[in-house]
Every structure is written in structure tokens, then in C-alpha cells.
Amino acid sequence: MLPWSAELAGRVEHHVVDSGVLRGNPLGDPHERPVFVQLPPGYDDEPSRRYPAVFVLQGYTGHLGMWWNRSPFRQPFPELADAAFARGEARPMIVVYVDAWTAYGGSQFLDSPATGRYHTYLCDEVVPWVDARYRTLADRDHRAVSGKSSGGYGAMVTAMLRPDLFGAFATHAGDALFDVCYRAVFPAVARKLRDQHGGSYDAFLTAFRARTLPPSSDDIELLEMYGYTAAYSADEDGTVHLPFDANGAVIPAVWERWLSRDPVVMASLPGYQGALRSMRAIWIDAGNRDEYYLDFGAAAFRDAVHAAGVPSDLVHFELFPAGHGGIEYRYPLALAWLADRLTA
């Protein structure tokens, strides 16, 4: 009963995947990972029917249990998705919620020697695990990946890296145009690291792990930057290289490693352009007051997608009046748009 809960017309099944590629990961994070699988209304009524699937990725510091968080006057995404299916606003799909939490708060859904093989986990373990257990249309033309913020970043790069698995994607305020969304904060992070932890990330991480009080906003900002660094610029032995020095100035050689992971830069390269041209649908949106300037990242990625030769009718782009948060209502809109194109 709303506002406390909603009766689902379909259902969400909770599972655990025992990951081989995450076993023994560098941070000692669990290799057993929860996976939620949302089945649309009527799934049990037609036992021969198969469905397209969308794999949903969370933003930084997000973990799977948080999909059920309830805010005033809002519903969590699984309820919004179920309602969209039940009212016929979206064609039925299987929705898979994927966890890529790490001790740093996230993984950017990439393989990294500093955190673990989270890209491989998603693509080579979760996707076939779902296909083996549920009635999916088990091919790339009926499979999408979607997410917000770091999850939107994961959707963009996963689709470009694995077009053999994913034929569509949606990114809501995904990390892109790194020169704008990341680089401007380096001096502020360097100052906090200097003033609060003597300029040492080792000192910060030791203090963070020992803390009993909830983390402060400064803690989260420092941790998030380190998590990005672990994803984008770690050596094979796990050594993490910050993209800025003690004065907040960019270190060019490391920054180039970051830029090679920027979806806007990736979309300009021939191999990834081919992957983008193979997509059946691309959804890009962001709030026009995004605190991290990811509206500019969304626009730059849209431009790169068009420059790659993707027809305009396959791309939905929108800037809407909002900041970075409170945009959950966008998720079922993209879900419906993807479902139309993956069902056709």
C-alpha cells in the first residue's frame, strides 16, 4: 500500500551469483554477488514466450539493496518498472539488476588490477547466467544495458566494448567528457587530501576504514576520486596513479590514461564507432543543472554518436530541468523506449 510499498503485478527474484572472476579480487570484496531479476506481469502465463532483457547498473556508492530505498513522494525503480509494464506503457522485458560494489564504493564496471574484473563479471558471467535460467531472447539484438551516473558510464562503455552482447543502451547523466566532469575538481580534492590527511591517500584510506561515524561529504568525495583512479589508471600490479599532483595540477601521462576511458573519446575511435553504428537504440539524457556538468557530457557524447554515423532516429537525446539527483522517473521512460526497439 502506497506510500509504504506497492503490490507488484510481476515479481522480483533475488539470487546470488558465485563469481569465478571476482574470486580473490585485490580488495578482498565478496565474490558471491546478489542479482535481482524482475519478471514482467504474465511471465508465467505463456511458458513458451521469450523476452528482451535490460541489465541495469547503479551509480557510484550504489549497491543492490539500495534499489528498494524509498524517498518521500517517490517510488523505487522496480515498482516504477512494474507499473509501466502493468499499465502497458512499456512492452514486457526482463530487468536484471547487477551489483558491482567495491570497498571503494564502485568499479566503473571495468576490469582493473586494483579492484577486480567487473566488466568480465557482467559480460561473461551474469549475462549467460540469466540466459540459462530465464526465457530471454538470448542475442545482442534483444539485450540492452542501462544505468545512471557511473552506471550510465558503464552502459556506454560496456556497449562499445561488447557489441556482440549488447545491441542497445541507455545512459542517464553518465560520466562523460572527463575534461569537464572530472578535471575541474582535482584542485579541491588535492586540498582536502592535504589539509585533512597530510596529502596521503594511504592515510585517508586507513582513517576511512577505521571510522565508526557515517562518512562525511569530504570522505565520499575523496573515496570516489580514488575509486575512479583505481578504475582508470592502475598498473598491472595494482599500483594506483592519481591523475593530479600535490598541487592539484594534472599529470599528463596519467590523464591520458583517463581520457582513453572517456566515452566521448572512445566514440571518436574507429573500432568503437563501428560498435555504436551497430546499436539498435541509444538513449542519452541528463538534467540541465547537473552539479557535475554531465549535461555537457551527455551533449558531447550525443555529438560523438552522430559523428560516428548512427542515424538520428536511433538516438534519443534530452536535457530536462533537474540536477544530478531525483531523476528516477526517467528510468521507466528509457525502459519503454528500449523495449519498443528490442521487441520489434
Coordinates of all heavy atoms in Angstrom, one line a residue, residues 207-215:
A207 N 42.2 5.9 7.8 CA 41.3 6.6 8.6 C 39.8 6.2 8.2 O 39.0 6.0 9.1 CB 41.5 8.1 8.5
F208 N 39.6 6.1 7.0 CA 38.2 5.8 6.5 C 37.8 4.4 7.0 O 36.6 4.2 7.4 CB 38.1 5.9 5.0 CG 36.8 5.7 4.4 CD1 35.8 6.7 4.3 CD2 36.4 4.4 3.9 CE1 34.6 6.5 3.8 CE2 35.2 4.2 3.4 CZ 34.2 5.2 3.3
R209 N 38.7 3.5 6.9 CA 38.3 2.1 7.2 C 38.1 2.0 8.7 O 37.4 1.1 9.2 CB 39.4 1.2 6.7 CG 39.4 1.0 5.2 CD 40.7 0.4 4.7 NE 40.7 0.3 3.2 CZ 41.7 0.3 2.5 NH1 42.9 0.4 3.0 NH2 41.6 0.2 1.2
A210 N 38.8 2.8 9.5 CA 38.7 2.8 11.0 C 37.5 3.6 11.5 O 37.2 3.4 12.7 CB 40.0 3.3 11.6
R211 N 36.9 4.3 10.7 CA 35.9 5.3 11.2 C 34.6 4.5 11.6 O 34.2 3.6 10.9 CB 35.5 6.3 10.1 CG 34.5 7.4 10.5 CD 34.7 8.6 9.6 NE 36.0 9.2 9.7 CZ 36.4 10.2 8.9 NH1 35.6 10.7 8.1 NH2 37.6 10.7 9.1
T212 N 34.0 4.9 12.7 CA 32.8 4.4 13.2 C 31.6 5.3 12.8 O 30.4 4.8 12.7 CB 32.8 4.1 14.7 OG1 33.1 5.3 15.4 CG2 33.8 3.0 15.0
L213 N 31.8 6.6 12.7 CA 30.7 7.5 12.3 C 30.5 7.4 10.9 O 31.3 7.0 10.1 CB 31.1 8.9 12.7 CG 31.3 9.2 14.2 CD1 31.9 10.7 14.4 CD2 30.0 9.1 14.9
P214 N 29.3 7.8 10.4 CA 29.0 7.8 9.0 C 30.0 8.7 8.2 O 30.5 9.7 8.8 CB 27.6 8.4 8.9 CG 27.0 8.2 10.2 CD 28.1 8.3 11.2
P215 N 30.4 8.4 7.0 CA 31.3 9.2 6.3 C 30.8 10.6 6.0 O 29.6 10.8 5.7 CB 31.5 8.4 5.0 CG 30.3 7.5 4.9 CD 29.9 7.2 6.2

